[in-house]
Structures are given as C-alpha cells and as structure tokens.
Amino acid sequence: MTTEARTTIPPASGTAPWARAARGANLLGSDGRLGITIFEEVTALAQQHSAINLGQGFPDEDGPQEILEAARTAIAEGANQYAPGQGLAVLRSAIAAHQERFYGLHVDPQTEVIVSTGATESIAAAILAFAGPGDEVLTFEPFYDSYGAVIGLSGATHTTAPLRAPDFQPDAASLEAAFSERTRVVVVNNPHNPTGSVFARPALELIVQLAERYGAIIVTDEVYEHLTFGSRHLPIASLPGAAGRTLTISSAGKTFSVTGWKVGWLSGPAELVAQVRTVKTFLTYTSGTPFQGAVALGLGLPDDYFSSTAATLRKKRDLLGEGLRAAGFDVFEPQGTFFTVVDAAPLGIDDATDLARRLPSLIGVAAIPVAVFCHEEGADHTRSMLRFAFCKKFDVIEEGARRLATLRERV
C-alpha cells in the first residue's frame, strides 16, 4: 500500500451551503445539477419490479415488545411535549449505565451526555462544532454519505484514508499519511458501514496516537456496537489516551430495530459535550420525548437480549452469504453491521452501479453499489463492489438468496 492513497475533497468555494452538502454526498453533477441518491433510484426500481430490496439498511421487524409498549404508555400518559434539550434524565442515566456496564467507561449523565435526533444529528453537530474553512476532517473510505454532506456544509476539507478488500482494515501507512497539521476531526465509524469490518485494536490505537500528535478530536459512530459476530466491540474512548479527546456516538435504531424513532446520543468530556450541545440546540433542540424513556428501558435489558440479537443477525448474514456465493460473487464476510460487501468481478462485471440498476429487473433483488460511498478515487477502487443488507426477515432473505442463485446464468 502506498502512502499516496490519501484523497482530499476541498469544499466548493463560493457555492451555496446546500451545494457544498450535495457535493460532499456525491449528489452534485459536474454540470452543477442536483441529482437523486442511488438509494432513491434503486428503491424506485425495486418497487417497479416487485424486487426484494436488500439495498437500504433498515430492519423489517419491530423491536422488543416491552420498549414498544413503554413508548405507547408514555404517549398515553402525556409525554408528548418538549423534552429537555440535553435529553430526559432517565435516558442520560441509562446511557451512562450502559457505558459502564459494557465497556467500563465512567460517564457523568449530568454533564457528559446529550440525547440527539439519531446518531446522525450528533455527528453533524460535532463536525459543525469543531471544523470549518481551513480545517480538514478525516474519514475512512468508503464512508457513510452523511459524513461527506456535513463536512461540505461546514466548509472544511474532506480527507480520507482507504479501507481495502478483503479485510477492510485501516492501513497504517495510508492512515498516517492522511493526517496533517490541519486535521481537526477524525470520524471513526466502527463497526463500519458499508464494509462490515470491525477495526482491530492496533488500528484504533494508531488513530489515538495520530489524533494526539496532531491535536485532533475523535468523533465515533458506533451505532452497530451490539451487532458484531465474534469480535466484541471495543470503543475507542476506552483506549489509553483517548477519553479526553473522544466523542462517542451511538443510537437505539439498529440495536432495538426502531430506526424510525431517531433517538441517538453523544458522550465524552464535559467541555467538548457542552460545545457540541451549543450547535445541537439550534438544529433540533430536542425530539422524541415518548421514545426516550422507552430507549432507557431498552438499554437496561438483560445481556441475553443483546447476544441473541447479534446471533440471529449472524444467521441471516450466513444465509444471505450462501446465495451471494451461489450467484458467483466474491463475498467479503462481515464481522458486524447489517451489510455484506461483494465483488462482481468474478462474473466479468466491473461496473457495479450499472449492475445495481439492472438487478431488480434481472432477478428481482436490489442492492447498492459501494462506489456511491466514495469520492472519485475511492470509487475507482470499489467500482465492481455491491453492498447487500441482511437485516430482514428470514423468509425474505431465503427468497432473496434463491433469486441471487440464478444470477450467474442470467448475466
């Protein structure tokens, strides 16, 4: 791996904020026209051809009945007005207890936790709080598209360090080359969407060392923390030297199959949390009052809920993997998340974006090309890759796997 792998996407100077956000999320064409996301396009094609949509990463089953009932009860009992801007005390306390219980992290629920409208808002507020014109924000590539949009909105330069197949682990030389004296924030998505990788401890330790060397703030996206298959999640904030510069972000959506509730949270050093809260206050101020208490209940569920949820998801991963291998793909088995990445090159296909547009009509299955999670150079490296979601009912995955097994004879 050469150190030339670093890429930088400077903000479009003199453009409106919406255009910077669109450009950062790969939605702005070379002619300046605003396009639709590939998610919208593929979803429309899936609906048109009655295809099984394994493109978008949301479950098709509800979460635990006890937390659903808790939300219903809260609504019935009148918890329908603004929650405090910092979040309900019961949820902040539950978040602190969760961090202690699972990771041995001591968090003060009064000063070191805020509740947000999903993890997405926490990530946006953190980037907007600490990065602006002249700064660099570093992410790994491929990256979740909202990172690029918010970095563009902030006016900072988006730099990336590549994650390469087959293991999608950070490469030490490329990571070190991606940092600079201008690096203000490094966003660490672990477990990683879209690749499904779980970063090894040495990679996390290197991130901490480099962030300390360059004075950067670490912002984590750990929404898949409980959805790992074999490798236990290791929060970067738990590593030596990390706690004082790390903002840890997670949410309820993936863990409890309630993505529509949009309840997330951020924790970290009180001073940094207060600075993020200043921005977050003027984004949504607060949201999801009846859901916050229900999520607090969920975070206190017994250990076997979390382990059985991951075990069930692992079975779904394996089931889909069988169909993907039968289709002729090279399958990169994920260590966590909802997603499996495959390479279509063994089928003689080097344009996965074109294949994603054809799959709904070809075999009745929808997927997302990995290239859309990359800037131009990264898109070249992932040109033949697709991402499939396995967070669906078993019968849906079984039928999807059956249809996928027919692909080799149809392309």
Side-chain angles (χ1 to χ4, degrees):
M1 178 79 65
T2 65
T3 58
E4 285 75 18
R6 163 189 166 105
T7 62
T8 64
I9 305 297
S13 60
T15 59
W18 72 264
R20 296 199 303 271
R23 181 173 186 245
N26 299 324
L27 292 179
L28 203 63
S30 57
D31 59 359
R33 292 180 180 273
L34 184 63
I36 65 170
T37 68
I38 192 69
F39 298 95
E40 291 177 88
E41 185 178 354
V42 167
T43 296
L45 288 169
Q47 292 171 344
Q48 179 183 342
H49 297 286
S50 300
I52 294 173
N53 192 347
L54 301 182
Q56 290 189 290
F58 58 84
D60 59 0
E61 296 179 280
D62 280 335
Q65 283 301 310
E66 51 264 63
I67 73 168
L68 302 181
E69 188 55 41
R72 294 187 191 100
T73 299
I75 291 170
E77 293 181 351
N80 302 306
Q81 309 307 324
Y82 294 129
Q86 191 177 357
L88 291 179
V90 65
L91 178 52
R92 287 185 280 112
S93 294
I95 292 163
H98 170 275
Q99 296 302 91
E100 173 77 31
R101 169 187 171 190
F102 286 98
Y103 311 122
L105 289 168
H106 304 285
V107 179
D108 183 348
Q110 301 303 318
T111 61
E112 297 181 332
V113 180
I114 52 176
V115 178
S116 60
T117 304
T120 303
E121 187 191 27
S122 280
I123 294 163
I127 291 172
L128 293 172
F130 299 115
D135 296 325
E136 293 180 354
V137 178
L138 171 61
T139 75
F140 291 95
E141 189 173 35
F143 55 85
Y144 183 53
D145 55 0
S146 81
Y147 304 163
V150 175
I151 295 166
L153 186 62
S154 76
T157 293
H158 187 180
T159 63
T160 64
L163 301 176
R164 302 291 182 87
D167 61 0
F168 298 108
Q169 289 290 320
D171 170 75
S174 297
L175 180 57
E176 188 157 1
F179 274 84
S180 81
E181 298 295 338
R182 295 170 59 197
T183 303
R184 183 65 176 129
V185 175
V186 53
V187 180
V188 182
N189 177 202
N190 180 47
H192 186 263
N193 173 19
T195 68
S197 64
V198 175
F199 293 174
R201 185 184 182 106
L204 297 176
E205 290 175 336
L206 179 58
I207 293 168
V208 175
Q209 293 166 14
L210 291 168
E212 184 175 17
R213 181 189 306 174
Y214 291 101
I217 294 168
I218 301 169
V219 174
T220 74
D221 177 351
E222 304 180 22
V223 298
Y224 296 100
E225 60 183 315
H226 290 294
L227 304 177
T228 62
F229 317 124
S231 301
R232 182 178 171 84
H233 174 62
L234 177 65
I236 203 166
S238 67
L239 297 179
R245 65 176 64 253
T246 300
L247 292 167
T248 301
I249 296 169
S250 192
S251 76
K254 307 302 191 298
T255 299
F256 302 116
S257 293
V258 288
T259 58
W261 288 12
K262 296 297 291 180
V263 176
W265 51 85
L266 175 149
S267 62
E271 182 179 4
L272 296 182
V273 170
Q275 291 164 355
V276 173
R277 184 183 172 189
T278 300
V279 175
K280 180 258 184 293
T281 296
F282 300 103
L283 295 177
T284 63
Y285 175 60
T286 188
S287 61
T289 302
F291 302 128
Q292 290 190 28
V295 171
L297 185 154
L299 289 173
L301 288 173
D303 288 357
D304 61 2
Y305 168 76
F306 298 93
S307 59
S308 65
T309 297
T312 298
L313 194 61
R314 182 174 190 161
K315 292 177 183 177
K316 294 179 178 182
R317 175 202 70 175
D318 294 345
L319 180 59
L320 179 62
E322 292 174 8
L324 293 168
R325 291 183 182 90
F329 293 118
D330 189 2
V331 179
F332 306 115
E333 187 169 85
Q335 298 173 291
T337 77
F338 284 167
F339 307 109
T340 296
V341 168
V342 304
D343 194 341
L347 292 167
I349 296 171
D350 64 0
D351 186 348
T353 301
D354 175 69
L355 180 59
R357 292 183 171 118
R358 295 167 53 206
L359 278 178
S361 62
L362 196 63
I363 61 169
V365 175
I368 297 294
V370 176
V372 303
F373 299 99
C374 304
H375 292 310
E376 186 174 354
E377 184 178 337
D380 287 340
H381 297 306
T382 59
R383 179 178 170 81
S384 59
M385 296 182 187
L386 288 169
R387 188 195 76 172
F388 290 84
F390 50 84
C391 51
K392 309 297 179 183
K393 296 176 183 176
F394 274 107
D395 59 344
V396 173
I397 297 173
E398 287 171 354
E399 177 60 18
R402 186 193 68 77
R403 296 182 187 187
L404 282 161
T406 69
L407 177 63
R408 194 194 301 261
E409 63 195 44
R410 298 187 185 216
V411 296

